[in-house]
Amino acid sequence: MSKHARRKLEERMLSLDVVRNVVANPKFVFYDLLSRAFVAVSEVGVESVRISLVVVYVRKDNVIRVVTVYPCRRIDREIDRKVGVGRWVRVK
């Protein structure tokens, strides 16, 4: 996990288990053509609220390295915007 991702987990009070669950059981997976990273999206419970969590990661030799993690209230807008400009390609 990158230092940036660790810092974002602390700031957002998210556990590593939540991140692992998003990567293992995503609702959607995209490939970001610009950053050459995978983007896993899943809904999680944060402070008694359901929110979409976006986990950006790279995979090399079956090792996953998390680059960043961020919550997104309007994931439909985020997906439409990134897919619409050709940056994200849907994998799953």
Side-chain angles (χ1 to χ4, degrees), residues 3 6-7 10 12 21-22 26 33 40 42-43 47 49 52 60-61 73-74 84:
K3 289 180 185 178
R6 288 181 210 275
R7 189 172 55 250
E10 280 183 28
R12 295 173 174 132
N21 190 44
V22 170
L33 296 170
S42 194
E43 196 172 280
E47 296 180 8
V49 175
S52 293
K60 184 176 180 182
D61 300 328
R73 290 185 187 190
R74 296 294 311 265

Side-chain angles (χ1 to χ4, degrees), residues 7-22:
R7 189 172 55 250
K8 292 302 175 186
L9 284 178
E10 280 183 28
E11 286 174 10
R12 295 173 174 132
M13 293 180 280
L14 297 168
S15 72
L16 187 54
D17 287 337
V18 170
V19 173
R20 285 184 182 134
N21 190 44
V22 170

Side-chain angles (χ1 to χ4, degrees), residues 12-60:
R12 295 173 174 132
M13 293 180 280
L14 297 168
S15 72
L16 187 54
D17 287 337
V18 170
V19 173
R20 285 184 182 134
N21 190 44
V22 170
V23 173
N25 304 301
K27 183 174 181 181
F28 303 108
V29 178
F30 298 91
Y31 184 73
D32 187 323
L33 296 170
L34 186 62
S35 67
R36 296 184 178 186
F38 289 96
V39 180
V41 179
S42 194
E43 196 172 280
V44 298
V46 177
E47 296 180 8
S48 73
V49 175
R50 300 297 290 174
I51 194 161
S52 293
L53 189 65
V54 179
V55 179
V56 180
Y57 64 95
V58 292
R59 182 184 296 160
K60 184 176 180 182

